[in-house]
Amino acid sequence: MLERETVKKILFSLGADLCGIANMDRFFDAPKGYHPCDDLPACKSVISFACRFPAGTLACKSNIPYTRSRNSITAKMDAMALDFCIEMEKHGVVCVPVPTNESQWDPDTGRWRSIVSQKHAAQAAGLGTIGRHSLLITPEFGSMVWLGMVLCEREFEPDELKEPLCNHCNLCVEACPVNALEQPEIRQQACFDFAFGEDSKTQVWRIACHKCRDVCPYNLGNRNSILQCRAEIQ
């Protein structure tokens, strides 16, 4: 029978930098229709994984490197989740990949949601904790990670939860150009309308804003030590 550490080794071999496991008890407060069992009724574990995102993109004056990196890593995470599920089936374990960056409208709450929240699953799996800016912060890479997830019909021992990493300094709230973080729940549409879309001058689709990530004291984590030193010098 597959053990938890063997499952993680498979994901690390596929390119994951972080991996954690959550059980169903940790999703008790999931919105109606967006619990792991709402998608996979026999789900017993959620396996969350992360890949580091190139932190150097934050220092660029052009928004193209950040945008293209985000688009490329999204495809990478989806491919990893797919390959992992296929590998698990070879061991007789049914898993289902959850898209990394695909949302649907939830008419009950008036918000866009993934079928299961990637960042809440990552928090439940002990990868990190969600900050005031609504991004996941990990000890290793700060918020410079992208997330993937699979739902699994086999129960595995869950990982320990992390202690909160965000100290609610509110720098992200003050930095937001459209005041999208003034309330506890991010104003999604205000953020989307300002940050995502086509540049009218260059006619290129880009992500024009990541100020909340830029100003976060925990945006780099302890494994981006070179960049952390550079940020402190500047």
Side-chain angles (χ1 to χ4, degrees):
M1 179 179 292
L2 282 178
E3 298 295 332
R4 180 178 69 171
E5 295 310 313
T6 303
V7 169
K8 291 187 176 184
K9 284 181 180 179
I10 294 173
L11 268 168
F12 290 141
S13 72
L14 292 171
D17 291 301
L18 303 173
C19 179
I21 298 174
N23 58 23
M24 293 301 96
D25 292 342
R26 296 180 180 176
F27 294 89
F28 68 93
D29 58 349
K32 181 181 178 181
Y34 295 90
H35 188 282
C37 291
D38 290 326
D39 195 54
L40 181 65
C43 185
K44 292 184 174 61
S45 298
V46 170
I47 303 171
S48 175
F49 61 96
C51 286
R52 63 191 301 170
F53 190 84
T57 57
L58 297 183
C60 294
K61 291 185 177 180
S62 168
N63 51 41
I64 297 303
Y66 182 94
T67 302
R68 296 296 170 257
S69 294
R70 176 262 201 184
N71 292 347
S72 296
I73 203 169
T74 294
K76 173 183 176 179
M77 305 305 288
D78 286 341
M80 287 172 59
L82 177 62
D83 289 345
F84 175 77
C85 290
I86 292 172
E87 188 63 29
M88 290 291 280
E89 287 190 2
K90 295 177 184 177
H91 295 277
V93 179
V94 173
C95 291
V96 174
V98 175
T100 289
N101 188 35
E102 185 173 320
S103 300
Q104 61 187 28
W105 182 251
D106 176 13
D108 291 336
T109 60
R111 301 184 67 78
W112 292 97
R113 299 188 186 280
S114 171
I115 56 173
V116 179
S117 169
Q118 289 280 356
K119 60 188 176 185
H120 285 87
Q123 180 170 261
L127 266 61
T129 59
I130 298 171
R132 180 66 183 82
H133 45 25
S134 86
L135 303 171
L136 185 83
I137 304 173
T138 69
E140 298 86 354
F141 306 109
S143 65
M144 297 308 291
V145 292
W146 238 246
L147 301 172
M149 177 200 336
V150 299
L151 311 180
C152 183
E153 289 190 348
R154 175 78 57 83
E155 186 170 7
F156 294 100
E157 181 184 354
D159 284 280
E160 291 186 10
L161 297 172
K162 291 285 191 300
E163 292 295 324
L165 297 168
C166 175
N167 67 1
H168 288 257
C169 65
N170 278 351
L171 288 176
C172 56
V173 178
E174 296 165 4
C176 180
V178 291
N179 301 317
L181 296 170
E182 289 186 334
Q183 301 300 319
E185 203 168 40
I186 186 173
R187 292 171 55 222
Q188 287 180 330
Q189 201 60 52
C191 176
F192 293 166
D193 290 346
F194 181 80
F196 299 85
E198 187 173 284
D199 186 296
S200 59
K201 293 182 179 179
T202 63
Q203 298 185 35
V204 173
W205 191 94
R206 81 288 183 263
I207 301 172
C209 180
H210 40 73
K211 293 185 185 298
C212 59
R213 199 188 299 269
D214 297 338
V215 301
C216 178
Y218 306 102
N219 70 344
L220 294 178
N222 58 39
R223 294 195 193 175
N224 283 319
S225 57
I226 294 177
L227 289 163
Q228 186 71 60
C229 291
R230 175 181 167 181
E232 290 170 357
I233 291 172
Q234 291 176 341

